[in-house]
Amino acid sequence: QNKFSVAISETLGNLGEQFPPKDLNQLYKTYLETILMEQPSFEVTPEKEKKWNDLSKILSLSKKETSENYRLVTTPVFQKKIKESLLTGKLDQKQKDEIENLEISLKLEKNTCSIIKTSAYRECLEEIMENQKILKSEDLLKLNEIRIFLSLKWENVQSIHDITSEPIFKKSVLEAMGATGIIPSNYWEGLEKLRKRLLLTEQKAKEIFYQCVKEKLKIIFEKAVTDNKKRNTPQNSESKDSGDDPSVKQGAGTALGIEAGDSSGNQLFNLIDLYFRNKIFIENEQVFPENKMSVLKGLSGRSEILISSRSKLDFSYPVTLRGQFEEKTITEMYRQYLVDCFSAKLQSEKRRLFNNLDKLGPILGLSPIQINSIHSGVGVVIYQKYLSQALSKGFLDQSDNAFLSNIQATLSMDSGKCSEIVREGKRSVVNFRVEQIFASPNVNPDRVSEMRKLAIQFGIDLKE
């Protein structure tokens, strides 16, 4: 027969050059189907293999084409057998052995068989979940029986459950979050039970939860942006009560002369509140060893080293708004929150905003470099404005110095830069007094004397 195929090839020439590849491949697949039906049906024997290999040579098919055609013909046969077995509902050992024997007789690749079986399992799962969204106990038992019948490991079908159940679990999480985005404490147990019933992995459930959190964070941030645009729109408004903050002057609007909104309604604080009340952050405890030298009592010149340790609790933020909005928008909103921290009229409000400042930046997706840059820019403005107000009375008292030190420490400002701002501020006040004196047609000796005293008090050399 081999001589016969060679003779045909020599007579017909290269058929691949005479007919379209599509026609040749279709002819080969039709021949394969016919040969497989020969007794013993759907069993690959050496004789059958020789027949289709000879035809492959006659048709000038490549090894890759031959292999792919075989897969295309045998795969439906295997799929059909599995579907017929599942439809009978009798998932017994006899049916299982028939499937395994067919797999062996068709010489199918393990990976191909695994794909076909997992596909069949997925169809069973989708059929069950079509009428009901949540699996019942009997459904779980049936699915487990199907999985064992198809010789599938749990890891083979886990991703199917994750993908199929994701919309259901996500809908439940969003419903639990409600309008505020904060899941009540008594809802967590219910969500965990639902996760187990849906056969979701903890990792997949966490990913879905993070998706929901990000959606809520985006909604809150968008509202914050809208509120910020509204409050920055010029409008006439009456001064409000300055509360118990001694640094705010009546009628001044804010202590620092910078625009500040109603901090009690600050949406960015709601964003932080959602994040922490849902316990999204991850705690990272770092332990640092410490050695301390201690002199032994009653033993002159003798000492001992005491080894101890201290720990520092840090947080990492698995969900952020990085990439969700323009960087310019995020940095501007963080800058405005920082302004609100200093210009809030109630001390209690200031403390609340300041206590959450270090959390906001990472949640917004800002890097430490970006945060420090914003702190530096806003810090200089706030420092200068407060300094200008304080110096207007001719001196800096203890409370002024304390507040300036607080700004410097909070925003990690360079001490040299702050000292330079103070010197320039004092010099500007003295220069302004000098300009006022010479702007008048007649020089007032009393005003000159006051200016000299002020210059001495500020340490300004008038000769410079």
PDB file of all heavy atoms in Angstrom, residues 375-397:
ATOM      1  N   HIS A 375       2.838  69.072  50.090  1.00  0.00           N
ATOM      2  CA  HIS A 375       3.036  69.613  51.443  1.00  0.00           C
ATOM      3  C   HIS A 375       3.948  70.827  51.406  1.00  0.00           C
ATOM      4  O   HIS A 375       3.697  71.831  52.081  1.00  0.00           O
ATOM      5  CB  HIS A 375       3.630  68.535  52.349  1.00  0.00           C
ATOM      6  CG  HIS A 375       2.629  67.518  52.801  1.00  0.00           C
ATOM      7  ND1 HIS A 375       2.863  66.639  53.819  1.00  0.00           N
ATOM      8  CD2 HIS A 375       1.381  67.251  52.365  1.00  0.00           C
ATOM      9  CE1 HIS A 375       1.815  65.867  53.993  1.00  0.00           C
ATOM     10  NE2 HIS A 375       0.904  66.225  53.117  1.00  0.00           N
ATOM     11  N   SER A 376       5.004  70.721  50.629  1.00  0.00           N
ATOM     12  CA  SER A 376       5.962  71.824  50.557  1.00  0.00           C
ATOM     13  C   SER A 376       5.317  73.073  49.964  1.00  0.00           C
ATOM     14  O   SER A 376       5.458  74.178  50.507  1.00  0.00           O
ATOM     15  CB  SER A 376       7.165  71.403  49.704  1.00  0.00           C
ATOM     16  OG  SER A 376       8.091  72.456  49.577  1.00  0.00           O
ATOM     17  N   GLY A 377       4.578  72.892  48.854  1.00  0.00           N
ATOM     18  CA  GLY A 377       3.949  74.045  48.204  1.00  0.00           C
ATOM     19  C   GLY A 377       2.896  74.702  49.058  1.00  0.00           C
ATOM     20  O   GLY A 377       2.874  75.930  49.236  1.00  0.00           O
ATOM     21  N   VAL A 378       2.005  73.893  49.649  1.00  0.00           N
ATOM     22  CA  VAL A 378       0.943  74.438  50.501  1.00  0.00           C
ATOM     23  C   VAL A 378       1.533  74.982  51.794  1.00  0.00           C
ATOM     24  O   VAL A 378       1.096  76.017  52.310  1.00  0.00           O
ATOM     25  CB  VAL A 378      -0.107  73.348  50.805  1.00  0.00           C
ATOM     26  CG1 VAL A 378      -1.132  73.855  51.817  1.00  0.00           C
ATOM     27  CG2 VAL A 378      -0.809  72.923  49.523  1.00  0.00           C
ATOM     28  N   GLY A 379       2.538  74.277  52.314  1.00  0.00           N
ATOM     29  CA  GLY A 379       3.142  74.702  53.575  1.00  0.00           C
ATOM     30  C   GLY A 379       3.721  76.098  53.504  1.00  0.00           C
ATOM     31  O   GLY A 379       3.547  76.904  54.422  1.00  0.00           O
ATOM     32  N   VAL A 380       4.403  76.406  52.418  1.00  0.00           N
ATOM     33  CA  VAL A 380       4.991  77.741  52.269  1.00  0.00           C
ATOM     34  C   VAL A 380       3.909  78.809  52.254  1.00  0.00           C
ATOM     35  O   VAL A 380       4.023  79.855  52.913  1.00  0.00           O
ATOM     36  CB  VAL A 380       5.825  77.814  50.968  1.00  0.00           C
ATOM     37  CG1 VAL A 380       6.229  79.256  50.662  1.00  0.00           C
ATOM     38  CG2 VAL A 380       7.066  76.935  51.084  1.00  0.00           C
ATOM     39  N   VAL A 381       2.825  78.540  51.506  1.00  0.00           N
ATOM     40  CA  VAL A 381       1.724  79.519  51.421  1.00  0.00           C
ATOM     41  C   VAL A 381       1.091  79.737  52.781  1.00  0.00           C
ATOM     42  O   VAL A 381       0.882  80.888  53.216  1.00  0.00           O
ATOM     43  CB  VAL A 381       0.650  79.036  50.415  1.00  0.00           C
ATOM     44  CG1 VAL A 381      -0.551  79.968  50.435  1.00  0.00           C
ATOM     45  CG2 VAL A 381       1.228  78.956  49.015  1.00  0.00           C
ATOM     46  N   ILE A 382       0.768  78.641  53.476  1.00  0.00           N
ATOM     47  CA  ILE A 382       0.130  78.743  54.793  1.00  0.00           C
ATOM     48  C   ILE A 382       1.071  79.410  55.791  1.00  0.00           C
ATOM     49  O   ILE A 382       0.661  80.272  56.578  1.00  0.00           O
ATOM     50  CB  ILE A 382      -0.278  77.348  55.294  1.00  0.00           C
ATOM     51  CG1 ILE A 382      -1.380  76.782  54.406  1.00  0.00           C
ATOM     52  CG2 ILE A 382      -0.748  77.398  56.738  1.00  0.00           C
ATOM     53  CD1 ILE A 382      -1.777  75.365  54.743  1.00  0.00           C
ATOM     54  N   TYR A 383       2.303  79.013  55.756  1.00  0.00           N
ATOM     55  CA  TYR A 383       3.303  79.569  56.673  1.00  0.00           C
ATOM     56  C   TYR A 383       3.423  81.077  56.477  1.00  0.00           C
ATOM     57  O   TYR A 383       3.437  81.852  57.442  1.00  0.00           O
ATOM     58  CB  TYR A 383       4.647  78.878  56.416  1.00  0.00           C
ATOM     59  CG  TYR A 383       5.614  78.916  57.588  1.00  0.00           C
ATOM     60  CD1 TYR A 383       5.630  77.888  58.524  1.00  0.00           C
ATOM     61  CD2 TYR A 383       6.520  79.964  57.753  1.00  0.00           C
ATOM     62  CE1 TYR A 383       6.530  77.902  59.584  1.00  0.00           C
ATOM     63  CE2 TYR A 383       7.411  79.988  58.805  1.00  0.00           C
ATOM     64  CZ  TYR A 383       7.414  78.950  59.724  1.00  0.00           C
ATOM     65  OH  TYR A 383       8.293  78.982  60.779  1.00  0.00           O
ATOM     66  N   GLN A 384       3.513  81.504  55.230  1.00  0.00           N
ATOM     67  CA  GLN A 384       3.654  82.929  54.929  1.00  0.00           C
ATOM     68  C   GLN A 384       2.420  83.726  55.332  1.00  0.00           C
ATOM     69  O   GLN A 384       2.535  84.819  55.902  1.00  0.00           O
ATOM     70  CB  GLN A 384       3.926  83.117  53.434  1.00  0.00           C
ATOM     71  CG  GLN A 384       5.317  82.688  52.995  1.00  0.00           C
ATOM     72  CD  GLN A 384       5.504  82.763  51.488  1.00  0.00           C
ATOM     73  OE1 GLN A 384       4.551  82.658  50.727  1.00  0.00           O
ATOM     74  NE2 GLN A 384       6.753  82.940  51.057  1.00  0.00           N
ATOM     75  N   LYS A 385       1.241  83.180  55.036  1.00  0.00           N
ATOM     76  CA  LYS A 385       0.015  83.909  55.353  1.00  0.00           C
ATOM     77  C   LYS A 385      -0.195  84.045  56.849  1.00  0.00           C
ATOM     78  O   LYS A 385      -0.575  85.105  57.354  1.00  0.00           O
ATOM     79  CB  LYS A 385      -1.190  83.221  54.694  1.00  0.00           C
ATOM     80  CG  LYS A 385      -1.260  83.417  53.176  1.00  0.00           C
ATOM     81  CD  LYS A 385      -2.517  82.820  52.606  1.00  0.00           C
ATOM     82  CE  LYS A 385      -2.609  83.119  51.106  1.00  0.00           C
ATOM     83  NZ  LYS A 385      -2.819  84.554  50.852  1.00  0.00           N
ATOM     84  N   TYR A 386       0.032  82.959  57.585  1.00  0.00           N
ATOM     85  CA  TYR A 386      -0.133  83.047  59.030  1.00  0.00           C
ATOM     86  C   TYR A 386       0.911  83.971  59.635  1.00  0.00           C
ATOM     87  O   TYR A 386       0.608  84.767  60.536  1.00  0.00           O
ATOM     88  CB  TYR A 386      -0.026  81.659  59.672  1.00  0.00           C
ATOM     89  CG  TYR A 386      -0.315  81.695  61.159  1.00  0.00           C
ATOM     90  CD1 TYR A 386      -1.624  81.624  61.617  1.00  0.00           C
ATOM     91  CD2 TYR A 386       0.713  81.837  62.074  1.00  0.00           C
ATOM     92  CE1 TYR A 386      -1.893  81.688  62.981  1.00  0.00           C
ATOM     93  CE2 TYR A 386       0.455  81.892  63.441  1.00  0.00           C
ATOM     94  CZ  TYR A 386      -0.860  81.821  63.887  1.00  0.00           C
ATOM     95  OH  TYR A 386      -1.112  81.892  65.224  1.00  0.00           O
ATOM     96  N   LEU A 387       2.126  83.874  59.138  1.00  0.00           N
ATOM     97  CA  LEU A 387       3.203  84.730  59.632  1.00  0.00           C
ATOM     98  C   LEU A 387       2.874  86.202  59.389  1.00  0.00           C
ATOM     99  O   LEU A 387       3.095  87.056  60.260  1.00  0.00           O
ATOM    100  CB  LEU A 387       4.517  84.363  58.941  1.00  0.00           C
ATOM    101  CG  LEU A 387       5.760  85.155  59.360  1.00  0.00           C
ATOM    102  CD1 LEU A 387       6.094  84.879  60.829  1.00  0.00           C
ATOM    103  CD2 LEU A 387       6.940  84.798  58.480  1.00  0.00           C
ATOM    104  N   SER A 388       2.325  86.492  58.224  1.00  0.00           N
ATOM    105  CA  SER A 388       1.964  87.872  57.894  1.00  0.00           C
ATOM    106  C   SER A 388       0.922  88.408  58.866  1.00  0.00           C
ATOM    107  O   SER A 388       1.020  89.554  59.343  1.00  0.00           O
ATOM    108  CB  SER A 388       1.433  87.936  56.457  1.00  0.00           C
ATOM    109  OG  SER A 388       1.005  89.245  56.137  1.00  0.00           O
ATOM    110  N   GLN A 389      -0.077  87.589  59.195  1.00  0.00           N
ATOM    111  CA  GLN A 389      -1.107  88.003  60.148  1.00  0.00           C
ATOM    112  C   GLN A 389      -0.507  88.216  61.539  1.00  0.00           C
ATOM    113  O   GLN A 389      -0.814  89.192  62.225  1.00  0.00           O
ATOM    114  CB  GLN A 389      -2.219  86.956  60.223  1.00  0.00           C
ATOM    115  CG  GLN A 389      -3.113  86.901  58.988  1.00  0.00           C
ATOM    116  CD  GLN A 389      -4.257  85.923  59.163  1.00  0.00           C
ATOM    117  OE1 GLN A 389      -4.479  85.401  60.258  1.00  0.00           O
ATOM    118  NE2 GLN A 389      -4.974  85.677  58.084  1.00  0.00           N
ATOM    119  N   ALA A 390       0.327  87.277  61.950  1.00  0.00           N
ATOM    120  CA  ALA A 390       0.904  87.354  63.298  1.00  0.00           C
ATOM    121  C   ALA A 390       1.831  88.559  63.445  1.00  0.00           C
ATOM    122  O   ALA A 390       1.835  89.239  64.478  1.00  0.00           O
ATOM    123  CB  ALA A 390       1.658  86.064  63.615  1.00  0.00           C
ATOM    124  N   LEU A 391       2.627  88.859  62.402  1.00  0.00           N
ATOM    125  CA  LEU A 391       3.587  89.971  62.482  1.00  0.00           C
ATOM    126  C   LEU A 391       2.914  91.336  62.394  1.00  0.00           C
ATOM    127  O   LEU A 391       3.533  92.354  62.721  1.00  0.00           O
ATOM    128  CB  LEU A 391       4.618  89.846  61.355  1.00  0.00           C
ATOM    129  CG  LEU A 391       5.620  88.691  61.471  1.00  0.00           C
ATOM    130  CD1 LEU A 391       6.509  88.627  60.227  1.00  0.00           C
ATOM    131  CD2 LEU A 391       6.491  88.845  62.724  1.00  0.00           C
ATOM    132  N   SER A 392       1.658  91.354  61.971  1.00  0.00           N
ATOM    133  CA  SER A 392       0.966  92.636  61.847  1.00  0.00           C
ATOM    134  C   SER A 392       0.797  93.328  63.198  1.00  0.00           C
ATOM    135  O   SER A 392       0.650  94.551  63.267  1.00  0.00           O
ATOM    136  CB  SER A 392      -0.401  92.435  61.189  1.00  0.00           C
ATOM    137  OG  SER A 392      -1.228  91.620  62.012  1.00  0.00           O
ATOM    138  N   LYS A 393       0.864  92.527  64.270  1.00  0.00           N
ATOM    139  CA  LYS A 393       0.750  93.136  65.605  1.00  0.00           C
ATOM    140  C   LYS A 393       2.114  93.541  66.162  1.00  0.00           C
ATOM    141  O   LYS A 393       2.200  94.083  67.272  1.00  0.00           O
ATOM    142  CB  LYS A 393       0.048  92.163  66.561  1.00  0.00           C
ATOM    143  CG  LYS A 393       0.768  90.858  66.828  1.00  0.00           C
ATOM    144  CD  LYS A 393      -0.055  89.997  67.794  1.00  0.00           C
ATOM    145  CE  LYS A 393       0.643  88.677  68.102  1.00  0.00           C
ATOM    146  NZ  LYS A 393       0.645  87.768  66.966  1.00  0.00           N
ATOM    147  N   GLY A 394       3.160  93.285  65.416  1.00  0.00           N
ATOM    148  CA  GLY A 394       4.483  93.777  65.785  1.00  0.00           C
ATOM    149  C   GLY A 394       5.360  92.780  66.508  1.00  0.00           C
ATOM    150  O   GLY A 394       6.509  93.085  66.820  1.00  0.00           O
ATOM    151  N   PHE A 395       4.881  91.577  66.754  1.00  0.00           N
ATOM    152  CA  PHE A 395       5.705  90.593  67.455  1.00  0.00           C
ATOM    153  C   PHE A 395       5.096  89.200  67.275  1.00  0.00           C
ATOM    154  O   PHE A 395       3.941  89.062  66.849  1.00  0.00           O
ATOM    155  CB  PHE A 395       5.813  90.923  68.951  1.00  0.00           C
ATOM    156  CG  PHE A 395       4.477  90.924  69.662  1.00  0.00           C
ATOM    157  CD1 PHE A 395       3.983  89.777  70.267  1.00  0.00           C
ATOM    158  CD2 PHE A 395       3.715  92.086  69.707  1.00  0.00           C
ATOM    159  CE1 PHE A 395       2.755  89.781  70.904  1.00  0.00           C
ATOM    160  CE2 PHE A 395       2.485  92.098  70.342  1.00  0.00           C
ATOM    161  CZ  PHE A 395       1.998  90.952  70.945  1.00  0.00           C
ATOM    162  N   LEU A 396       5.893  88.170  67.573  1.00  0.00           N
ATOM    163  CA  LEU A 396       5.422  86.796  67.559  1.00  0.00           C
ATOM    164  C   LEU A 396       5.363  86.285  68.990  1.00  0.00           C
ATOM    165  O   LEU A 396       6.389  86.239  69.681  1.00  0.00           O
ATOM    166  CB  LEU A 396       6.360  85.901  66.742  1.00  0.00           C
ATOM    167  CG  LEU A 396       6.425  86.130  65.229  1.00  0.00           C
ATOM    168  CD1 LEU A 396       7.477  85.225  64.607  1.00  0.00           C
ATOM    169  CD2 LEU A 396       5.082  85.895  64.583  1.00  0.00           C
ATOM    170  N   ASP A 397       4.164  85.956  69.462  1.00  0.00           N
ATOM    171  CA  ASP A 397       4.057  85.461  70.837  1.00  0.00           C
ATOM    172  C   ASP A 397       4.241  83.939  70.858  1.00  0.00           C
ATOM    173  O   ASP A 397       4.491  83.310  69.838  1.00  0.00           O
ATOM    174  CB  ASP A 397       2.724  85.869  71.465  1.00  0.00           C
ATOM    175  CG  ASP A 397       1.526  85.379  70.664  1.00  0.00           C
ATOM    176  OD1 ASP A 397       1.672  84.361  69.953  1.00  0.00           O
ATOM    177  OD2 ASP A 397       0.455  86.004  70.732  1.00  0.00           O
TER     178      ASP A 397
END
